[in-house]
Amino acid sequence: MRGICTFFAVWLLAAPFLLLGLSASDNSAQLAAVTQHDYRFAPVTITKIHHRYQNSSKTGTTYTYVVTVEAPGPGEHSRALQLRGQVTSSSDRWTTGDRLTGGLYAPDAPSLGIILTPRRHLASLLGGSASPGETVMLALFGALPITLFLMCVRSRGKEEPEPTTPQSVLGDRPVRRLRVCIAGGTAGIRLTAPDPKKTSGVPQSTLSPALRLSSPEGTRDLFDRCLDPQALAANLEGHAGWLYWAPVAEDPSDWCVAALLVLDDDRYVYGLTPPGCVAELPQGEPVDLPLPDARPLRAVGPYALWQSAVHGPGLYGFGLGFLAVCLIVAGVDSDGGPLLSMCFVTTVGGPVVSLLLIQRLRTAYLRRLAQQT
């Protein structure tokens, strides 16, 4: 479910930026200037083709024409206007004299040119309802991720997952176990095997949250993917259980290995722990798997999902980015001035700065927690 939810969240974050790009491409400075006059929409005739550009992509080939068209003048018997504009079509056979369905222009300001667009798209350009094509696109844009999400959730729900036991997690390697109780939340440096995709062979060092586990022989840390180890430890206060891990003989003694904390109420916490072959760590006792009294386990939860001190300041960047999107769509500084540029920078940079700030505050929190414990 983690991968499915991550995909869904990324889609929701990316959607406003894609819609913003589509909106900004239509809300041009030319459109703003034309609509400030007594604009008109009328059929036009091509009188000259200046350039033709071919645009090829995976979805097909389109052609953009730079043309001069003849459009009706401001009065009933006034002279026709010669206006310049662009038209995009899938056909490469446009010639002089061809009739276009229509264009939006200001008869009293011919220097602004003409916006050649189908009539069904005109209402959305002028701030009205979306065109049929845009409505279908928006419906598909919203329905596609939701449909995929529901299909994945349904398929996952039909699968019969293997019951979680120490054997299902640790495999057939020699296993050790230690009787422990929850002593609190902490943080520390977690060393794991080098990334197989990298050739450097350097182990991965990560500052990670952990549960501090106490036993008569000493303490151990179980590195977990929880957001707040102190909140997790508070929820598990007073509980005891067995910690299982399987050392890898050929790995260095400080490389963490997979571990499973099985509480007495058949709940578990999956994480990583140092293998235990160094003198200051309790090494537990060997145990044979499968256990004769092993029962299916259920995960500890729910985990804390929010840290106000860490995530709160990061929300300002997202809020500013959303405000910038609203201003751009509303047409602020549509002539391309510095305010519009600032809005675009804030739209993209706000969420990025927020994520970096959250990461920095998160790292500072874990370092402080490691020093305190």
Side-chain angles (χ1 to χ4, degrees):
M1 290 298 296
R2 181 185 298 272
I4 297 175
C5 293
T6 300
F7 166 78
F8 194 61
V10 170
W11 181 278
L12 292 178
L13 287 174
F17 295 101
L18 179 59
L19 296 178
L20 171 63
L22 296 175
S23 176
S25 64
D26 286 340
N27 291 322
S28 62
Q30 182 186 19
L31 175 63
V34 168
T35 53
Q36 289 177 357
H37 294 265
D38 185 16
Y39 56 85
R40 179 188 299 183
F41 183 84
V44 295
T45 303
I46 298 176
T47 59
K48 186 176 181 180
I49 297 178
H50 302 278
H51 303 286
R52 189 191 74 168
Y53 304 99
Q54 179 176 327
N55 311 305
S56 299
S57 64
K58 295 181 179 180
T59 58
T61 301
T62 59
Y63 301 88
T64 300
Y65 294 84
V66 179
V67 297
T68 294
V69 298
E70 185 178 83
E76 183 178 354
H77 303 288
S78 59
R79 183 179 177 181
L81 301 175
Q82 299 294 318
L83 305 173
R84 187 160 175 158
Q86 291 187 2
V87 59
T88 300
S89 171
S90 58
S91 173
D92 62 345
R93 298 180 179 179
W94 288 106
T95 59
T96 301
D98 285 345
R99 190 79 166 168
L100 300 180
T101 57
L104 184 68
Y105 65 100
D108 57 339
S111 61
L112 297 177
I114 187 170
I115 300 173
L116 300 172
T117 183
R119 180 176 291 276
R120 61 180 179 273
H121 186 53
L122 179 63
S124 63
L125 282 180
L126 299 178
S129 59
S131 66
E134 290 172 333
T135 302
V136 172
M137 183 198 70
L138 290 173
L140 292 175
F141 191 83
L144 178 62
I146 296 176
T147 302
L148 292 177
F149 179 77
L150 294 177
M151 290 175 59
C152 291
V153 170
R154 185 177 180 182
S155 63
R156 289 290 181 90
K158 291 182 178 179
E159 295 177 359
E160 291 293 337
E162 179 184 359
T164 301
T165 61
Q167 185 180 14
S168 68
V169 173
L170 304 176
D172 55 0
R173 298 198 306 271
V175 175
R176 305 189 71 85
R177 73 175 182 177
L178 179 69
R179 184 67 179 176
V180 296
C181 63
I182 311 300
T186 184
I189 300 298
R190 183 192 68 193
L191 289 177
T192 53
D195 189 345
K197 298 180 181 179
K198 299 180 181 179
T199 58
S200 61
V202 178
Q204 302 180 71
S205 175
T206 310
L207 179 63
S208 303
L211 282 176
R212 178 63 52 86
L213 308 177
S214 65
S215 73
E217 304 175 31
T219 61
R220 264 188 170 277
D221 289 341
L222 176 65
F223 293 103
D224 188 41
R225 297 168 65 176
C226 63
L227 182 64
D228 190 344
Q230 290 183 315
L232 178 61
N235 289 333
L236 300 179
E237 185 178 0
H239 288 77
W242 290 95
L243 177 67
Y244 296 87
W245 73 97
V248 181
E250 58 271 19
D251 285 350
S253 60
D254 55 351
W255 287 10
C256 292
V257 296
L260 192 71
L261 172 62
V262 180
L263 301 176
D264 293 339
D265 57 2
D266 291 337
R267 292 187 298 166
Y268 75 89
V269 178
Y270 173 76
L272 299 172
T273 192
C277 49
V278 291
E280 62 270 16
L281 288 177
Q283 300 183 21
E285 60 185 19
V287 63
D288 295 328
L289 296 181
L291 299 174
D293 58 344
R295 297 181 296 273
L297 307 173
R298 65 185 190 277
V300 167
Y303 280 24
L305 300 177
W306 174 264
Q307 287 177 294
S308 57
V310 172
H311 298 95
L315 287 182
Y316 292 111
F318 284 98
L320 290 175
F322 178 75
L323 177 61
V325 170
C326 295
L327 291 176
I328 294 173
V329 174
V332 62
D333 206 3
S334 56
D335 57 350
L339 183 57
L340 181 62
S341 300
M342 290 176 58
C343 288
F344 271 109
V345 172
T346 304
T347 299
V348 178
V352 174
V353 172
S354 291
L355 292 175
L356 293 176
L357 179 60
I358 290 173
Q359 180 64 30
R360 181 176 179 180
L361 293 175
R362 169 74 170 165
T363 302
Y365 167 74
L366 292 178
R367 287 177 178 171
R368 185 171 60 253
L369 186 60
Q371 293 172 357
Q372 292 175 351
T373 54

